[in-house]
Amino acid sequence: MKTKNTPYDPSSEGAETEFSRKMSYGDYLSLDAILTAQHPKSDAHDEMLFIIQHQTSELWMKLAIREIDAARTAMRAGQLQPAFKMLARISRIFEQLNNAWDVLRTMTPSDYTTFRDALGPSSGFQSWQYRMVEFMLGNRNKAMLKPHAHRPDILAILEGELAKPSLYDEALRLLDQSGVAVPELVLKRDVSDAYQPSDDVITAWQQVYQSPQDHWQLYELAEKLVDFEDYFRRWRFNHVTTVERVIGFKRGTGGTGGVSYLKRMLEVELFPELWRVRTVL
C-alpha cells in the first residue's frame, strides 16, 4: 500500500524504464553525438556558451532551410495553405534565433577576450547554412561562395541553390499566374543573380493590396513574407547589437569589418516591393 511519503515510481503505471533492447529518448535523438560535439579550444568558462549558442543556431537554420524549401515547392504547386503554415513556422524559427542573442549577450567583452584568440579565423560569416538561407530567400551574392571553395560538397549545394528560383521568385511567378501581371523581364531573369527591385512589381503588389478581397491568397502570401522578413531583420539587428556590445568596432575573427559589415547587411531587402508598396497605397 502506498503512503504519502512513498516515492512515485512511474513504472507502476506502465512507464518504460528498461531500455537495454529498446530505443530510448537518447537513442532517438542521438544525444551522445550532440552532447559530445562541444570541443572548447581554451579553458575559458564562456567558450562553452559561445559554442552551444552557435551550434543551436545552426540546428534551427537546418530546420529553416527544410521549411523554406518545402514552402517554395508548395507554392510552385499552387498549394498555398500548406505554404502559409510553413512560412509561419519559419518566422517562429527566427524568433527562436532572436532569443538566442539574449543568452549570448550575457557574455561581456572581458569574457570574450579570454578565448577569442582560440577561434583563429573562424567566423559566423562562414556559415554555409546561413548563406543557404540568404540564397533561398533571394539575396544572391556570388562573392559569398568564396569562403566555401575549400569544401566542394558544400560549394555544390550552394551553387545548386543559385540555379533555382528563390522563394520570392516563386511568389512573383504565382502572382503572374493568378492574373496580376509581372513583367516578362522579371519572370525570365537569370535567377542566379541578385534580384533587382522593379516599379512594375510594386504596381502588381499594389493591385493585391488595394483589393485584398479579390486576391485574398496573394494578399495572405504577401503578409506572410513580410512577417518573416520582419523577424529576419530583427535577427540581423540583434546580431549587430550583440557584436557591438561584445567587441565594439574591432574587426571580426573572419576578417570582416565586424559591426560595419553587419550594418551593411541591415540594408539588404529580401522582398523589396512588398515593403515599398506601402508607400504608394
Side-chain angles (χ1 to χ4, degrees), residues 112 116 243 247-261:
Y112 186 48
R116 187 177 194 243
V243 171
I247 69 169
F249 287 87
K250 295 176 184 174
R251 296 191 73 81
T253 50
T256 68
V259 168
S260 63
Y261 163 75

Side-chain angles (χ1 to χ4, degrees), residues 33-260:
I34 293 172
L35 298 178
T36 57
Q38 296 75 43
H39 305 290
K41 306 298 182 185
S42 74
D43 295 327
H45 177 78
D46 280 55
E47 190 178 358
M48 184 64 80
L49 160 64
F50 190 81
I51 291 171
I52 289 176
Q53 191 270 344
H54 285 82
Q55 286 182 337
T56 53
S57 293
E58 290 290 337
L59 285 172
W60 281 121
M61 280 191 276
K62 180 175 183 176
L63 182 58
I65 289 168
R66 184 175 187 271
E67 296 295 331
I68 294 168
D69 188 53
R72 182 170 54 181
T73 300
M75 287 165 58
R76 189 180 301 126
Q79 299 172 348
L80 290 186
Q81 293 303 321
F84 293 158
K85 184 174 187 292
M86 294 161 192
L87 290 171
R89 179 176 293 168
I90 297 161
S91 294
R92 298 304 174 267
I93 290 169
F94 271 82
E95 184 176 21
Q96 290 297 315
L97 285 164
N98 264 311
N99 292 337
W101 293 124
D102 292 337
V103 183
L104 193 63
R105 280 197 287 268
T106 65
M107 183 177 66
T108 68
S110 300
D111 296 330
Y112 186 48
T113 56
T114 61
F115 67 88
R116 187 177 194 243
D117 288 345
L119 301 180
S122 65
S123 167
F125 166 73
Q126 300 146 14
S127 167
W128 76 265
Q129 288 202 125
Y130 172 69
R131 194 60 53 208
M132 184 71 168
V133 169
E134 290 265 11
F135 284 180
M136 295 178 89
L137 298 176
N139 183 20
R140 298 184 162 188
N141 181 351
K142 294 174 186 176
M144 296 303 187
L145 291 171
K146 293 177 184 177
H148 311 290
H150 68 294
R151 286 286 305 271
D153 54 337
I154 290 173
L155 189 63
I157 293 171
L158 294 173
E159 289 177 334
E161 174 55 35
L162 287 179
K164 303 174 185 177
S166 71
L167 181 71
Y168 192 50
D169 285 322
E170 292 295 350
L172 294 180
R173 292 180 181 193
L174 195 60
L175 185 63
D176 186 72
Q177 290 165 6
S178 300
V180 181
V182 174
E184 198 78 1
L185 194 63
V186 173
L187 295 173
K188 293 190 174 179
R189 72 184 190 86
D190 183 348
V191 296
S192 69
D193 290 336
Y195 179 78
Q196 298 300 320
S198 162
D199 288 343
D200 290 331
V201 173
I202 294 176
T203 300
W205 285 120
Q206 186 178 3
Q207 292 181 51
V208 172
Y209 274 86
Q210 287 180 332
S211 301
Q213 68 279 2
D214 298 326
H215 308 285
W216 190 262
Q217 285 197 316
L218 293 172
Y219 178 63
E220 187 172 358
L221 172 62
E223 284 300 290
K224 283 284 191 294
L225 292 173
V226 169
D227 190 43
F228 165 62
E229 186 166 358
D230 193 337
Y231 279 102
F232 194 79
R233 287 182 176 191
R234 291 185 224 176
W235 183 82
R236 278 179 168 155
F237 178 79
N238 281 327
H239 190 181
V240 173
T241 303
T242 302
V243 171
E244 185 172 354
R245 178 169 174 164
V246 176
I247 69 169
F249 287 87
K250 295 176 184 174
R251 296 191 73 81
T253 50
T256 68
V259 168
S260 63

